[in-house]
Amino acid sequence: MDDIVKSGLAKIDWVSRFMPVINHLSKDFKKNQPLAGVRIAACLHLEMKTARFAMLLKEGGAEVALCPSNPLSTQDDVVAALNHLGIPTFAKHGCSREEYYEYVDKVLDIKPNIIIDDGADVTAVVHSKRKELLKDLWSVNEETTTGVTRLRALSKAGELKIPAIAVNDSMCKFLFDNQHGTGQSSWDGIIRTTNRLIAGKTVVISGYGWVGRGLALRARGLGADVIVIEPEPVRAIEATLNGYRVMTMNSAAKQGDIFVTATGNKDCLRKEHFETMKDGTMIANSGHFDVEINIEDLDGLAQEVNELKPNITEYKMKDGRRIYLLAHGRLVNLAAGDGHPAEIMDMSFAIHAIAAKYVTENKGKLEIKVHNLPKTVDTEIASIKLKAMGIETEQLTAEQKHYMTSWGEGT
Ligand code: ADE
């Protein structure tokens, strides 16, 4: 066996040990074959937890093909292992934009019944260039906030042609993956890339959605002074009451040592901010697309650009200040790290597996709109997870259950 395959298999074996919900579903999928004959095209970050998930789909009887959801998140040894395991995977770390869309086309050639997307790129392709595939499709199941935002825009424009499942919007996804997953994995990517101390630094988090909340929480835990940038008023109050300094990016630009964007929007860091940043400022992005930091503006201002080491680009300004861009502005947790911890992706991918089963059971019956999964899915996954964590929870007495569903007992 090639060393690269061995390395990928060893990674998959390691994380599989910490994915009890997936392993629980695996027994059921192997026995009952809920996805027998279902063709699934998945566009995901091709790292070890994703590989375990693809194996689960195959164990459930599906025909699976994979392509990357970001050019820099692919781990070539995991790709080699997946192909070795008989799961066709089309990807290469650092692929060009053209190659990226070639890989998308290749997975679409299986004529999928279900698309599992992370960022809605494949969804966009089947709604534009490959519309002939829509007739075979039962649903698109979306992993991330950015992808769900795109799906809702597609639906609002009256252009959504197949049912969509907002996996991201399940509580066992956004509460844990977006918040605690990104909270840990982004700092992991930043720290392992830079080998710098976070304690004592001023960290600026742009965006106070679930990802921003996690980033801010962990930055504070590491000893940073945290500033939050959030235009939405309710979230801005929440950040303030959680103890962070809330201000405009123009004010924060002069104060921050490390900036991390997590808004899903473009140009959060741009020319006017780079012009006032301190010498040595580090900037990174945790959002899905590399649009949050305007790299063209950085290029335009810089007198010199140097690749100092993998994932650290130095922009030397005319006045001598240096700004360090991490991971080329791509999502720092995957481009400069391994993505979310195994225990987190365990739940996210379990929701995807149940979503694929749900769509298969309901094929042809789902309305063409963006659906949330039933709340029972969250309860089921959380219950399996708690059991695996050895946590026994309080159970309501019959009297308590009755009280919670009646109106008679008051003052
Ligand atoms: N690993 C696989 N998919 C991921 C995602 N969307 N975010 C973080 N880590 C991942």
Side-chain angles (χ1 to χ4, degrees):
M1 193 189 292
D2 289 347
D3 283 351
I4 188 166
V5 173
K6 270 194 210 150
S7 161
L9 290 175
K11 282 182 173 180
I12 301 167
D13 173 57
W14 171 247
V15 291
S16 299
R17 295 163 191 239
F18 312 106
M19 300 180 79
V21 188
I22 294 290
N23 294 332
H24 175 94
L25 292 176
S26 168
K27 290 189 196 116
D28 171 49
F29 274 36
K30 278 181 188 157
K31 185 162 163 238
N32 297 315
Q33 296 287 289
L35 303 176
V38 180
R39 296 187 300 277
I40 300 181
C43 173
L44 293 168
H45 297 294
L46 298 173
E47 49 86 356
M48 46 210 150
K49 285 88 69 185
T50 309
R52 178 64 189 97
F53 170 54
M55 288 160 69
L56 172 70
L57 296 175
K58 195 174 176 210
E59 286 161 2
E63 181 191 334
V64 190
L66 296 171
C67 65
S69 66
N70 186 290
L72 292 189
S73 62
T74 301
Q75 301 191 4
D76 290 333
D77 52 355
V78 173
V79 172
L82 279 161
N83 281 307
H84 171 83
L85 292 167
I87 299 174
T89 305
F90 307 97
K92 189 179 69 187
H93 179 84
C95 68
S96 66
R97 194 182 148 77
E98 292 68 38
E99 287 168 323
Y100 179 87
Y101 280 102
E102 276 167 31
Y103 300 144
V104 169
D105 263 334
K106 285 207 168 109
V107 296
L108 285 176
D109 287 344
I110 70 165
K111 297 199 172 72
N113 304 119
I114 296 175
I115 289 171
I116 297 178
D117 220 347
D118 188 334
D121 280 344
V122 180
T123 305
V125 170
V126 294
H127 281 82
S128 53
K129 284 182 242 109
R130 307 248 353 226
K131 286 186 186 162
E132 81 281 3
L133 297 172
L134 289 167
K135 64 178 185 329
D136 289 314
L137 272 165
W138 304 336
S139 78
V140 50
N141 303 350
E142 174 55 52
E143 156 80 8
T144 197
T145 315
T146 294
V148 172
T149 305
R150 289 178 89 187
L151 280 171
R152 291 203 200 284
L154 195 64
S155 177
K156 197 161 173 218
E159 299 292 331
L160 181 68
K161 301 290 181 216
I162 43 172
I165 309 284
V167 166
N168 178 74
D169 293 2
S170 291
M171 277 168 52
C172 279
K173 165 63 171 65
F174 68 80
L175 279 180
F176 309 130
D177 174 310
N178 301 20
Q179 184 173 214
H180 297 288
T182 319
Q184 175 168 321
S185 62
S186 296
W187 288 111
D188 171 16
I190 293 169
I191 292 166
R192 75 163 86 165
T193 301
T194 63
N195 199 10
R196 304 269 324 265
L197 182 70
I198 308 302
K201 300 280 193 308
T202 297
V203 164
V204 180
I205 304 297
S206 182
Y208 202 65
W210 287 108
V211 170
R213 288 178 182 103
L215 287 167
L217 186 70
R218 296 302 174 226
R220 182 159 62 192
L222 287 163
D225 162 34
V226 182
I227 294 173
V228 168
I229 313 300
E230 173 53 64
E232 202 282 314
V234 178
R235 286 182 178 178
I237 294 183
E238 190 193 348
T240 306
L241 300 197
N242 281 340
Y244 305 115
R245 291 193 284 146
V246 173
M247 61 182 76
T248 63
M249 189 58 97
N250 274 333
S251 302
K254 306 178 196 82
Q255 302 181 38
D257 299 302
I258 307 172
F259 291 72
V260 189
T261 56
T263 67
N265 210 340
K266 64 199 277 196
D267 299 340
C268 305
L269 288 177
R270 52 184 185 267
K271 187 168 183 274
E272 70 203 76
H273 308 128
F274 303 137
E275 278 172 341
T276 63
M277 281 179 178
K278 297 191 285 191
D279 179 30
T281 299
M282 304 199 303
I283 58 177
N285 166 49
S286 276
H288 184 81
F289 288 120
D290 60 342
V291 296
E292 308 211 9
I293 299 173
N294 190 319
I295 297 172
E296 263 180 39
D297 281 0
L298 255 185
D299 264 320
L301 287 171
Q303 197 166 42
E304 213 181 298
V305 180
N306 301 307
E307 290 302 327
L308 298 187
K309 72 188 266 299
N311 289 319
I312 304 183
T313 313
E314 175 190 59
Y315 290 81
K316 242 188 191 161
M317 303 293 144
K318 295 181 183 101
D319 58 11
R321 284 175 308 121
R322 291 154 300 177
I323 295 176
Y324 301 117
L325 173 68
L326 307 186
H328 308 277
R330 302 265 183 200
L331 17 72
V332 71
N333 60 336
L334 282 144
D338 288 317
H340 297 342
E343 292 89 338
I344 294 285
M345 292 317 293
D346 183 33
M347 285 185 281
S348 305
F349 283 140
I351 305 172
H352 271 292
I354 291 177
K357 190 173 157 191
Y358 174 77
V359 166
T360 304
E361 284 162 1
N362 291 286
K363 66 178 172 233
K365 289 190 231 149
L366 296 173
E367 209 184 315
I368 299 182
K369 63 170 196 175
V370 182
H371 297 255
N372 282 355
L373 284 168
K375 186 158 170 24
T376 47
V377 173
D378 281 317
T379 315
E380 183 189 342
I381 288 175
S383 304
I384 303 170
K385 190 75 173 176
L386 282 166
K387 198 163 166 229
M389 292 165 91
I391 297 172
E392 194 182 349
T393 57
E394 180 74 358
Q395 301 297 313
L396 298 183
T397 65
E399 289 75 18
Q400 286 175 317
K401 281 187 192 159
H402 176 71
Y403 184 81
M404 292 307 282
T405 53
S406 53
W407 56 272
E409 275 182 70
T411 311

